[in-house]
Amino acid sequence: AVTHPIQTLQGIGHVLTHPVDLVSAVVNPYKQAMAEGRPGLAIGRGIVEIGSLFIGPAEIGGAAKGLIGGGKTASQVGKAGELASKGAELSSRLATQASAAVEKAGALKLVGAAGEAAKLEQFARILQKSANLAATGTEAGVSRAVRYA
């Protein structure tokens, strides 16, 4: 849904009249990672970018729920270590998605889509809060992270 139609049209107009800005916004983070000697970051970013084309916020929440699906069972049989491991994995995934959302918001700002960028930044904050909850490795923290995401 478009909440700021004028800003959206201005952003689209900017992209159409300045396509180099769009290309730069997409390519520069990869160039920077490579220049810093961090090819893994560039590859990871590419995976997240491509994956995010096919996976939306609802699917991330569903994946998080599936990832910790055995949370109650694990606590009932005393497998706290397994839950902590799943919490750490979930936290990592959510933090990666939050980081990607922040970067995309920055790119949107560059092309004049401030309204859409603000929404994406808010989504990134939610993802980061969920990542922090999952990082606790406790049943309550991981469960809250899944509900919050």
Side-chain angles (χ1 to χ4, degrees):
V2 175
T3 58
H4 301 287
I6 293 173
Q7 289 179 348
T8 301
L9 290 174
Q10 288 172 338
I12 291 170
H14 183 84
V15 168
L16 293 174
T17 58
H18 300 89
V20 173
D21 289 350
L22 177 62
V23 172
S24 294
V26 172
V27 172
N28 284 346
Y30 297 97
K31 285 183 177 179
Q32 181 180 357
M34 294 303 286
E36 293 173 356
R38 300 171 66 189
L41 178 64
I43 292 169
R45 181 171 307 188
I47 291 169
V48 169
E49 290 287 331
I50 292 168
S52 67
L53 294 172
F54 303 103
I55 299 173
E59 288 84 3
I60 293 170
K65 289 176 184 172
L67 182 65
I68 64 129
K72 288 186 179 179
T73 304
S75 69
Q76 290 170 352
V77 296
K79 294 184 180 177
E82 181 180 334
L83 181 60
S85 174
K86 287 183 178 183
E89 184 180 348
L90 174 59
S91 176
S92 175
R93 288 183 182 188
L94 290 170
T96 298
Q97 289 292 325
S99 177
V102 168
E103 289 180 30
K104 286 181 182 179
L108 286 171
K109 285 180 183 177
L110 288 175
V111 296
E116 298 302 316
K119 285 189 216 175
L120 201 51
E121 287 171 338
Q122 181 179 11
F123 179 63
R125 286 191 295 276
I126 291 169
L127 286 173
Q128 189 57 55
K129 184 172 182 177
S130 296
N132 294 342
L133 289 168
T136 65
T138 64
E139 181 177 0
V142 173
S143 180
R144 285 181 62 203
V146 170
R147 280 195 309 266
Y148 200 71

